[in-house]
Structures are given as C-alpha cells and as structure tokens.
Amino acid sequence: MNWPYLRPGPQRRTTSVDSGALTRAREALERPGVVLPPRRQRPTGLAKLDVPLKGKIADGPAEGRALARLTDLGLGQKLRALLAEPDQDAPEWLARACVPVLREWGWDDRPTGVAALLTGEHPILVQSLARALSQMGRMDYLGELSRDEALPTVTAQNSAYRVAQLWGTFSGPSTASDGPVLLVADLLGTGWTITEAARHLRSSGVPAVLPLAVASAG
C-alpha cells in the first residue's frame, strides 16, 4: 500500500523579543557618529575654469564626523525632522547628542576653538549649536564662517564647477586660533564646501580643521 505524503504541521514560532537584544538594537540605532573622510584629490578641469588648483589637497580638513546619516533609522530620522523645520536655535538634545561623538573622536590634538559654517539653510541652528559646544567643551567661540551674500548660491553638481563656485569666496571668522578648530555645519553632501571652508581657515594659520556636521546626506 502506498502511504499518502504526510506534510508536517505548522510550527509555532514565538513572537517575543529578548529584552536585552531589543535594548542593544535600540542603542545601536540611537548611537551617534558617522565618519566623514576628507577630500584628498581636486577634481580635474579646474584650469579651464580659471581656478589655479590641481592635484592632492594638502590644506583641507581632517577627518570629520556627522551625528548620523539622514537615511539612518533612529537618530537619522530625528535629524531629518529637525532639518525639515524652520531654522531655529539648536534644541538641548542636539548638543547632548554631540557629546559622545566628541568624546570618542580620538583627536591627535584637542580643538581649542569652535567656528560655525553658515552656508546651509540653518544658520541659526548651526551658530547656536557651535556656541553651546564651545561652552560645554570650554573652547573659544571664534565666530562665523560664510560666503558673501551677494554671491550666487552654489548649485553645481559637477565637482569642478562646484569648486570653482566656492573657491576664494569665504570670509571670517573674526578671531584667529593657534590650535585645531571644530567647524560646525548643518548638512554635508559632496564635501567640497567643507573642504574650501577648511582651506580658508588653514590659510589664516589654523593648524587643523575638524568638521562636525549635524547630519550627512549620504
């Protein structure tokens, strides 16, 4: 006699989640800190745009940090919501979120000053955050770094054209620093804005520029 094929019955699976695993997952999602590698090489074609720069970048920023990527879950979504709101003073939780990032950065030399990069859509948020961090870390607040308001907005996506729009257009801060500077920004995308801003600070005698962004676009 041929026995009929017997299929195993449905298996019951538990829907409970270990509380320890849940806590670790939540902490991982909320843990701030994304490494921002600096630009090492200038784009080709700058000479055709009357920009006398080429080759390796020796006077740019050091490796930076962002609190999170906008695409991340957890803190990334919280930052996305914050940056979607009208410009405002930095909330207290934002400054607190910077503390573990600064603590675990692993600087060769601790920054002695803080500057605010006001080239994005949130100058009030960036300036207030930079001031808060300077007080929390007992660093000098050096002022704001910005582009001339009369200049056109940088919209180019091509790297060479973007650098050409940014080159030589920064001014400030009014106070110099003989130590490394923490440069606070809102959103970092291509990395060329922070590169040219850092070059401006380095040209004034700053030995190192450490970018700290609220968020990274990618």
Side-chain angles (χ1 to χ4, degrees):
M1 178 181 293
N2 294 326
W3 292 93
Y5 178 72
L6 299 178
R7 296 181 179 179
Q11 296 181 353
R12 293 187 177 182
R13 300 181 184 276
T14 178
T15 57
S16 62
V17 179
D18 178 73
S19 60
L22 186 61
T23 298
R24 290 191 295 272
R26 183 180 295 110
E27 290 176 348
L29 289 174
E30 296 291 342
R31 185 180 299 122
V34 174
V35 174
L36 300 173
R39 288 280 186 173
R40 301 291 189 186
Q41 191 81 16
R42 294 188 176 89
T44 58
L46 289 176
K48 296 179 181 179
L49 302 174
D50 297 322
V51 177
L53 301 173
K54 63 179 181 179
K56 293 183 179 180
I57 301 173
D59 55 353
E63 182 181 83
R65 296 290 187 277
L67 296 186
R69 299 179 183 87
L70 289 184
T71 54
D72 289 346
L73 298 175
L75 183 58
Q77 298 305 301
K78 195 173 183 179
L79 295 174
R80 178 186 287 275
L82 175 65
L83 296 179
E85 296 176 2
D87 194 17
Q88 60 186 289
D89 285 335
E92 184 179 348
W93 66 262
L94 184 63
R96 289 201 307 268
C98 294
V99 173
V101 175
L102 299 177
R103 185 173 56 238
E104 299 172 12
W105 196 317
W107 298 307
D108 292 331
D109 294 301
R110 186 182 186 278
T112 60
V114 183
L117 180 58
L118 308 185
T119 57
E121 299 179 357
H122 306 85
I124 297 174
L125 183 144
V126 170
Q127 185 182 38
S128 60
L129 178 61
R131 287 185 178 277
L133 294 178
S134 70
Q135 294 174 0
M136 293 167 60
R138 298 181 180 179
M139 298 175 282
D140 295 328
Y141 181 68
L142 305 176
E144 297 79 42
L145 183 63
S146 61
R147 299 177 72 242
D148 189 331
E149 293 182 358
L151 293 170
T153 302
V154 177
T155 57
Q157 296 301 311
N158 175 277
S159 291
Y161 280 94
R162 192 170 186 86
V163 172
Q165 286 185 286
L166 292 164
W167 175 64
T169 64
F170 287 96
S171 60
S174 57
T175 305
S177 174
D178 57 1
V181 171
L182 187 70
L183 183 57
V184 181
D186 54 0
L187 182 64
L188 259 60
T190 65
W192 289 118
T193 298
I194 203 75
T195 299
E196 290 303 307
R199 292 185 64 246
H200 171 79
L201 289 174
R202 294 287 303 276
S203 69
S204 66
V206 172
V209 177
L210 307 167
L212 175 66
V214 172
S216 169

